[in-house]
Amino acid sequence: MAEDSPRLGGFSAGLAVILNDEDSKKNLPKTRLLSCCDDLGEQSVERTLEYVFGLPNRSLSSLDGPVDSSFIRSVIRNLFSRYNANSGDSSSEKDMICRPDVVGLEEYTICGDIKIVKPPFLIESLEMFSSVRANTCVWKGKWMYEVMLETSGIQQIGWATNSCPFTDHKGVGDDEDSYAYDGRRVSKWNNDAETYGQSWVVGDVIGCCIDLERDEIVFYRNGISLGVAFQGVRKMGPGFGYHPAISLSQGERCELNFGARPFKYPIEGYHPLQTPPSKSYFVTRLLQCWSRLLDMHSVERAEHSLAQKLRRAKRFVSLEEIFRPVSYAICEELFCILEDDVGHAEYMVWGPLLSFMFEVFELHAPHDYSSLDKVVEVLLQFQGSHVLFENIINALSCGCKVAQLVLTECPYSGSYSYLALACHLLRREELMVLWWKSPDFDFLFEGFMSQKTPNKQDLESMIPTVWWPGSCEDTCCESNMMLATTALSESISKSSYYMTHQVQSISMLEEVDKQIKERACGEKLKHLKETRNEYREEVIDCVRHCAWYRISLLSRWKQRGMYAMCMWVVQLLLVLSNMDSVFIYTPEYYLEALVDCFHVLRKSDPPFVPSTILIKRGLVSFVTFVVTHFNDPRISSADLRDLLLQSISVLVQYKEYLAIFESNEAANQRLPKALLSAFDNRSWIPVTNILLRLCKGSGFSFSKNGESSSSSILFQRLLKEACINDEALFSSFLNRLFNTLSWAMTEFSVSVREMQEKYQVMEFQQRKCGVIFDLSCNLARILEFCTHEIPQAFLSGPETNLRRLTELIVFILNHTTSSADAEFFDLSLRRHNQSSEKVNRGMILAPLVGIMLNLLDATKLVEYQENNDLVDVFLSMNCAETVLYGFQYLVDYNWDGSCRGEAYMGKYKELENFLTFLACRTMSEHDEVESVVDTTDLDDNLCCICYACEADAQIAPCLHRSCYGCVSRHLLNCQRCFFCNATVTNVSRINEKTG
């Protein structure tokens, strides 16, 4: 029988032949079994082996003994090798290239500082501009090498002669004897720069090809030609040809492949600079034999019932008789070749072996896990298997980085095949430990997590037409885009989803269209059309990017993975948090991935799971973790703690999520105190947002109905209890609250004054004013809550808190009401798409009214009537006119649109009565002062800080004197004397008699 005729084989008795046009596993279901026993019906293991190794019929003589690995190796070496010898490379290559046995970088040509990050040729520039040449040159023929981009910055890659000078500022392409391409600047370089090619991205593979038969240089991006870059390349003689060369700016990385590994995108007709191993073809054919054997084994399992019938008829036996010895013999031969040619082992693994494993495993589901496990089990029994699997893991990680942008097979797109194979291999503890112990673990893990980002041309090819709501594009573009995106992913239902963040660009385009329709003439019309084209291209690019991210990141199959990961990781972290020695070493990416994935699922549109399921199954554990660890000192990264705190800030604004916090035991026990202690220089903004949402509905003019859907009566009570039960904590919080509010209002006033002096509202300063004003309003609301729930902190004991509160009220009123240009003040608060009814002075004035009403209500209680007097504190500030003017402004302010109901109007009447009483007391105090004849100098016993109170306190050990109020306030923030900077050990009241 001829070699190319249907080959004989079987389950072991020579009774089956697999008829298949291409001998491919893809058509396995179409195979059929034929009887092919000899004339006497004798079993024929020889015919099966001939089929497995692709040998001619009857080339194996009858076996006298058992089939073992020694016999199979003899078959491989004597018969198989005879029919599968590689023809080898053409000897004419020696006349075209000058190369050593191993092509690499010529160290003496390095200009700058180039570091090999990872062998063999992953390099990084450590100086502003570094260049290097390879140790081989070509002067005839067609040659290529590949560059895999680890970064996408300025890199000039190409070819250069020995005469090309490298300096700190000049590299490849900056001389007439060198040629380069730079995808960052989309230019080609040969002494001068010209526009060429496409922009590149991380993970791109750039093919650098030189054709010295046609004197051309061509560059390829991911196997696609960018066109002829250079023509008329100067002829060179033997030994004086063109070297592969590269120049990198600081921090740029790339990996060079001169042929030590199979090319990712080989270009037909071009040869690698590194000679491929001579045994590569032989190893490929040998692994095909193993694949054929595995195919037969799969067929036997599929046709199990037929096999049983034939075995009972004694017409053939199980394939197991030859499967094990054949597999072992193939592996013995493979490892023998790898040991004899260590320098080419990487090529063998990245090429033939990896292709064989993908063929066995299948690129897409359903995967053949059983066959792959058989292969791995056999390989692991050999001594050199660890080095082999290290190369496999390395190759799979690299494959994830450079995976093609193919979304038509979603979810089996991009790096799926590499990840699926890697995950199955790493299920084995032996291989997982091998990977963990690898010095390149971090680098390889980063590769597995990588996903390429498309450039403009990639998106154009995947989404050729775009549409957005209200666009003036061709009406057919809407249906075309729908068809394109639906073909890419089932998760796309309407293109308007992509336009969430493109409102500004679209509005600009619409504005230009409007001006064009008004029929502007001449140069103005030409300019408008040019501007419109720019805006249109920007919007189209934005639409494509939004579509890409939605398809690639928010597809259903990825959301399923994110959901499972969230559930597992949060439970893992809760367990680890009980073990200090383990928790402090938990990698940060666990927390980052948990928070990011959770919020992606929460915000997905349409939702991956209903909010009720997310709350019941996932949110409870997530809430427990974030409330117990957002200020956990064991988490060393402040950014991570901020991330957890920000998650609380986001969740509590929704009523259904807030209910989970209220029913969570850990939140009830820990959150109130943790929030008060976390109010510091770094975290005060998110803490303020959380406290504000918890306290909504309890202040003056919070809403028209006086209530808020996101308020929490439970947490308001828990916060009150925390403040009362821990006086030191509340005192520290209150001090920071006073300081922060004072700073915020000062910053706001300064910004307004700067704009007012220039009499122009700059966009940046207007945004700054808006942010600071909002923060000031929020801080004032929290202070209002404190006066409502804990008035004793201000009206009982030392009057420091009450004095600071009243001073702050007067300070805010003064800066809010005494603006020289009220219209300019309101203009500085104006926001885009917001009316003046929602953003005005009333936002900061309302909490001040609430504070005053809370204090006035508290003074009616018996326990506070004989304590600090509110009127006396205001009178002692020596700025009567300012105080009265401010309170009159509050009384006269129009609150009709802000609050309703008799309760509010009744309370507001109390403020009017207070103003009347304060004005009477002020006039009385003024008359008394005028009646006293001022015949004495300033009393020496007055406090030299405030000049308002008697110096009734003495500081130890320096014995300086001041009033007790000034000293107490100063010591809240600094423990040193403000006169001599000595450390304060004690402050004592001065007895009038002994003083």
Side-chain angles (χ1 to χ4, degrees):
M1 185 180 290
E3 184 179 356
D4 57 353
S5 63
R7 291 175 177 167
L8 297 177
F11 295 110
S12 76
L15 297 176
V17 62
I18 298 180
L19 297 182
N20 192 327
D21 293 339
E22 299 178 356
D23 235 358
S24 171
K25 291 175 65 178
K26 294 180 180 178
N27 298 321
L28 187 60
K30 298 180 181 179
T31 61
R32 58 194 175 92
L33 301 178
L34 294 180
S35 173
C36 57
C37 60
D38 57 23
D39 296 336
L40 300 177
E42 296 178 351
Q43 297 180 355
S44 182
V45 176
E46 298 86 354
R47 303 294 82 78
T48 303
L49 293 175
E50 288 170 0
Y51 169 72
V52 170
F53 289 104
L55 302 176
N57 189 32
R58 306 286 179 180
S59 59
L60 282 177
S61 57
S62 298
L63 301 180
D64 298 330
V67 178
D68 55 17
S69 60
S70 299
F71 171 74
I72 300 298
R73 288 197 72 182
S74 67
V75 172
I76 294 174
R77 294 190 172 188
N78 297 327
L79 290 175
F80 178 77
S81 60
R82 184 191 311 166
Y83 292 102
N84 294 280
N86 193 359
S87 59
D89 297 330
S90 173
S91 59
S92 61
E93 283 189 6
K94 297 180 180 179
D95 300 326
M96 305 178 185
I97 184 172
C98 175
R99 61 184 169 196
D101 293 337
V102 178
V103 178
L105 302 178
E106 200 77 75
E107 291 188 9
Y108 75 87
T109 66
I110 294 178
C111 177
D113 188 359
I114 287 183
K115 171 188 176 183
I116 296 182
V117 178
K118 180 177 175 294
F121 301 117
L122 176 56
I123 60 175
E124 178 182 1
S125 172
L126 301 180
E127 291 195 5
M128 292 300 295
F129 202 61
S130 304
S131 304
V132 66
R133 278 190 291 266
N135 59 1
T136 186
C137 66
V138 296
W139 58 87
K140 220 173 159 183
K142 301 170 71 175
W143 305 91
M144 71 171 291
Y145 70 98
E146 286 186 338
V147 180
M148 196 273 280
L149 302 178
E150 289 281 340
T151 57
S152 57
I154 295 177
Q155 305 180 36
Q156 296 173 202
I157 58 179
W159 304 84
T161 65
N162 275 327
S163 61
C164 172
F166 291 156
T167 68
D168 294 339
H169 303 286
K170 290 188 176 182
V172 184
D174 294 324
D175 184 80
E176 60 182 7
D177 286 326
S178 62
Y179 306 86
Y181 161 56
D182 177 5
R184 176 59 181 265
R185 293 175 285 187
V186 195
S187 299
K188 62 181 180 180
W189 302 76
N190 177 231
N191 216 6
D192 294 315
E194 296 181 31
T195 301
Y196 170 80
Q198 303 173 1
S199 61
W200 57 30
V201 297
V202 174
D204 277 348
V205 177
I206 307 300
C208 305
C209 302
I210 185 168
D211 183 352
L212 293 170
E213 297 172 1
R214 307 174 75 176
D215 300 330
E216 293 179 347
I217 292 179
V218 184
F219 294 96
Y220 289 77
R221 176 178 176 263
N222 301 324
I224 300 175
S225 174
L226 300 178
V228 176
F230 303 101
Q231 293 179 319
V233 175
R234 187 158 62 95
K235 293 281 188 182
M236 304 295 287
F240 298 97
Y242 290 95
H243 296 255
I246 185 167
S247 298
L248 308 174
S249 59
Q250 189 172 27
E252 295 302 313
R253 284 187 180 189
C254 66
E255 188 164 16
L256 307 173
N257 181 15
F258 301 113
R261 301 169 180 168
F263 286 144
K264 177 68 176 177
Y265 302 101
I267 307 301
E268 184 178 359
Y270 288 88
H271 303 287
L273 297 167
Q274 175 76 55
T275 305
S278 59
K279 289 285 188 177
S280 175
Y281 178 78
F282 179 80
V283 170
T284 301
R285 298 290 293 170
L286 190 63
L287 291 173
Q288 287 175 354
C289 298
W290 200 0
S291 178
R292 197 176 297 125
L293 181 66
L294 291 163
D295 282 347
M296 294 167 61
H297 202 258
S298 299
V299 172
E300 184 180 61
R301 294 198 308 271
E303 302 293 341
H304 182 71
S305 59
L306 175 59
Q308 290 294 338
K309 292 178 182 178
L310 293 175
R311 287 196 190 99
R312 283 196 295 271
K314 299 186 181 297
R315 300 190 62 182
F316 70 90
V317 294
S318 173
L319 185 65
E320 294 297 335
E321 286 189 11
I322 65 169
F323 182 82
R324 187 176 183 83
V326 170
S327 297
Y328 270 77
I330 290 174
C331 285
E332 286 175 349
E333 193 65 25
L334 172 65
F335 280 98
C336 183
I337 293 172
L338 295 179
E339 290 174 4
D340 292 342
D341 193 2
V342 177
H344 288 116
E346 187 177 34
Y347 189 99
M348 300 291 195
V349 175
W350 284 59
L353 184 58
L354 191 61
S355 298
F356 161 71
M357 296 189 80
F358 272 123
E359 183 182 354
V360 172
F361 184 63
E362 292 285 3
L363 293 175
H364 301 154
H367 300 291
D368 191 348
Y369 298 106
S370 177
S371 296
L372 181 65
D373 288 338
K374 290 180 178 295
V375 171
V376 175
E377 286 170 4
V378 176
L379 289 173
L380 283 173
Q381 297 186 35
F382 289 85
Q383 187 175 1
S385 62
H386 280 193
V387 176
L388 182 143
F389 278 103
E390 283 178 354
N391 277 298
I392 289 176
I393 294 173
N394 198 350
L396 293 174
S397 174
C398 182
C400 290
K401 288 184 180 180
V402 301
Q404 289 181 310
L405 300 169
V406 181
L407 293 179
T408 53
E409 300 170 351
C410 190
Y412 312 116
S413 60
S415 58
Y416 170 82
S417 301
Y418 300 96
L419 282 172
L421 179 55
C423 288
H424 187 69
L425 291 176
L426 294 173
R427 286 177 182 271
R428 293 177 174 267
E429 183 179 354
E430 183 178 357
L431 296 181
M432 178 62 81
V433 172
L434 176 69
W435 182 38
W436 280 347
K437 291 183 177 180
S438 169
D440 300 318
F441 172 80
D442 292 344
F443 183 83
L444 297 175
F445 185 79
E446 180 183 345
F448 285 126
M449 296 295 103
S450 299
Q451 177 169 315
K452 283 183 66 175
T453 301
N455 69 359
K456 184 176 181 179
Q457 288 76 19
D458 297 328
L459 289 173
E460 285 178 354
S461 64
M462 291 189 290
I463 310 175
T465 58
V466 301
W467 171 89
W468 60 91
S471 67
C472 299
E473 306 299 311
D474 190 347
T475 54
C476 67
C477 289
E478 177 181 2
S479 57
N480 289 342
M481 183 177 181
M482 293 294 295
L483 290 173
T485 52
T486 303
L488 292 174
S489 171
E490 295 180 357
S491 66
I492 303 303
S493 58
K494 196 171 183 180
S495 55
S496 59
Y497 285 150
Y498 315 144
M499 301 311 304
T500 305
H501 302 293
Q502 314 308 327
V503 176
Q504 185 175 2
S505 298
I506 293 175
S507 62
M508 292 179 178
L509 181 60
E510 292 174 346
E511 179 64 26
V512 174
D513 283 336
K514 180 180 178 181
Q515 295 183 33
I516 291 176
K517 289 179 181 179
E518 292 175 356
R519 298 185 180 182
C521 57
E523 287 296 320
K524 183 178 180 181
L525 181 61
K526 179 181 178 181
H527 176 70
L528 286 173
K529 288 184 176 180
E530 291 175 354
T531 303
R532 183 192 185 279
N533 289 336
E534 292 178 4
Y535 285 144
R536 179 179 177 274
E537 289 298 318
E538 181 181 343
V539 172
I540 289 175
D541 191 49
C542 289
V543 172
R544 287 189 173 120
H545 272 91
C546 288
W548 158 255
Y549 285 119
R550 183 170 181 82
I551 295 169
S552 61
L553 299 180
L554 298 178
S555 55
R556 299 290 290 177
W557 71 279
K558 288 194 175 182
Q559 290 189 24
R560 284 197 299 271
M562 285 190 284
Y563 182 74
M565 192 278 293
C566 283
M567 299 302 102
W568 294 336
V569 170
V570 72
Q571 295 297 335
L572 172 65
L573 292 175
L574 286 172
V575 172
L576 295 180
S577 64
N578 296 322
M579 299 180 285
D580 290 346
S581 58
V582 179
F583 187 70
I584 58 177
Y585 294 108
T586 303
E588 293 182 356
Y589 56 77
Y590 278 96
L591 275 72
E592 293 173 349
L594 170 64
V595 174
D596 291 342
C597 290
F598 176 81
H599 287 295
V600 167
L601 291 170
R602 182 181 60 80
K603 296 186 294 185
S604 59
D605 183 19
F608 172 67
V609 292
S611 58
T612 53
I613 296 178
L614 183 63
I615 290 172
K616 290 180 180 178
R617 296 185 181 177
L619 189 59
V620 174
S621 299
F622 183 79
V623 167
T624 300
F625 180 79
V626 294
V627 298
T628 54
H629 294 90
F630 74 86
N631 62 343
D632 191 336
R634 294 177 297 174
I635 300 177
S636 57
S637 172
D639 290 336
L640 277 182
R641 294 198 300 270
D642 288 347
L643 190 65
L644 297 178
L645 186 60
Q646 191 62 42
S647 296
I648 300 175
S649 177
V650 171
L651 291 175
V652 295
Q653 67 179 317
Y654 300 100
K655 186 177 182 180
E656 61 271 23
Y657 294 151
L658 182 59
I660 297 297
F661 281 84
E662 291 181 332
S663 61
N664 187 281
E665 184 179 356
N668 292 339
Q669 292 178 355
R670 302 192 182 191
L671 188 59
K673 283 191 175 183
L675 288 174
L676 296 176
S677 61
F679 190 89
D680 54 20
N681 292 334
R682 180 182 180 90
S683 304
W684 67 271
I685 294 179
V687 171
T688 299
N689 293 334
I690 296 170
L691 292 175
L692 180 69
R693 292 182 182 115
L694 297 180
C695 300
K696 272 189 175 181
S698 63
F700 178 81
S701 181
F702 233 123
S703 68
K704 289 187 178 182
N705 297 321
E707 297 294 336
S708 173
S709 60
S710 60
S711 62
S712 173
I713 304 300
L714 173 64
F715 275 110
Q716 291 177 16
R717 177 176 59 80
L718 293 174
L719 284 169
K720 176 181 178 180
E721 293 174 357
C723 293
I724 294 175
N725 296 333
D726 194 335
E727 294 183 4
L729 176 63
F730 178 62
S731 177
S732 177
F733 165 76
L734 198 59
N735 176 53
R736 293 193 296 267
L737 180 59
F738 281 136
N739 292 340
T740 307
L741 180 53
S742 178
W743 168 84
M745 281 305 303
T746 302
E747 287 291 314
F748 173 74
S749 300
V750 169
S751 298
V752 172
R753 192 178 302 114
E754 287 178 354
M755 290 190 293
Q756 196 167 355
E757 290 174 353
K758 299 177 182 178
Y759 210 80
Q760 64 180 59
V761 179
M762 292 175 287
E763 183 179 358
F764 168 76
Q765 284 188 309
Q766 189 178 26
R767 289 201 305 268
K768 178 183 176 182
C769 284
V771 171
I772 297 177
F773 185 75
D774 287 343
L775 292 173
S776 302
C777 296
N778 294 344
L779 292 168
R781 283 295 184 185
I782 296 173
L783 194 55
E784 180 186 8
F785 171 79
C786 293
T787 59
H788 181 267
E789 298 294 336
I790 319 155
Q792 61 268 32
F794 306 92
L795 299 177
S796 298
E799 66 174 25
T800 303
N801 288 338
L802 182 58
R803 182 169 293 278
R804 294 186 71 181
L805 178 63
T806 53
E807 289 176 356
L808 195 56
I809 292 173
V810 173
F811 176 77
I812 295 174
L813 285 174
N814 185 39
H815 285 281
T816 306
T817 61
S818 62
S819 175
D821 190 339
E823 183 180 354
F824 195 91
F825 182 93
D826 294 335
L827 184 63
S828 65
L829 300 178
R830 193 166 299 169
R831 326 279 175 81
H832 184 65
N833 295 330
Q834 283 191 347
S835 65
S836 58
E837 295 180 359
K838 293 185 177 180
V839 183
N840 52 45
R841 301 172 190 237
M843 295 172 61
I844 191 67
L845 297 178
L848 300 185
V849 174
I851 291 171
M852 290 302 304
L853 293 177
N854 292 336
L855 295 177
L856 291 174
D857 286 343
T859 55
K860 297 176 183 178
L861 301 176
V862 177
E863 59 264 35
Y864 301 130
Q865 288 180 354
E866 296 182 0
N867 288 283
N868 301 323
D869 188 282
L870 186 60
V871 176
D872 287 343
V873 175
F874 276 110
L875 291 175
S876 66
M877 297 178 66
N878 293 328
C879 53
E881 293 183 1
T882 302
V883 173
L884 292 175
Y885 178 80
F887 278 105
Q888 187 64 50
Y889 189 91
L890 289 179
V891 170
D892 295 338
Y893 192 81
N894 183 13
W895 299 99
D896 291 342
S898 303
C899 56
R900 295 177 181 174
E902 296 297 329
Y904 275 109
M905 298 312 298
K907 288 185 176 182
Y908 198 62
K909 188 68 176 177
E910 295 180 12
L911 185 63
E912 295 179 351
N913 296 336
F914 174 78
L915 175 60
T916 303
F917 182 66
L918 182 63
C920 294
R921 284 284 304 273
T922 302
M923 292 298 297
S924 175
E925 291 281 341
H926 180 71
D927 293 340
E928 290 180 7
V929 170
E930 287 187 345
S931 65
V932 177
V933 180
D934 188 11
T935 59
T936 61
D937 296 329
L938 187 65
D939 189 354
D940 291 336
N941 203 33
L942 282 178
C943 171
C944 58
I945 302 299
C946 65
Y947 289 101
C949 300
E950 182 181 356
D952 58 351
Q954 184 169 277
I955 302 172
C958 57
L959 304 181
H960 286 114
R961 294 185 178 187
S962 179
C963 71
Y964 191 79
C966 289
V967 175
S968 300
R969 187 185 308 184
H970 174 74
L971 293 179
L972 288 172
N973 301 297
C974 179
Q975 296 299 314
R976 292 182 176 274
C977 174
F978 37 41
F979 297 107
C980 64
N981 206 33
T983 301
V984 177
T985 59
N986 185 36
V987 177
S988 58
R989 294 273 192 174
I990 301 174
N991 188 294
E992 293 183 3
K993 295 181 179 180
T994 60

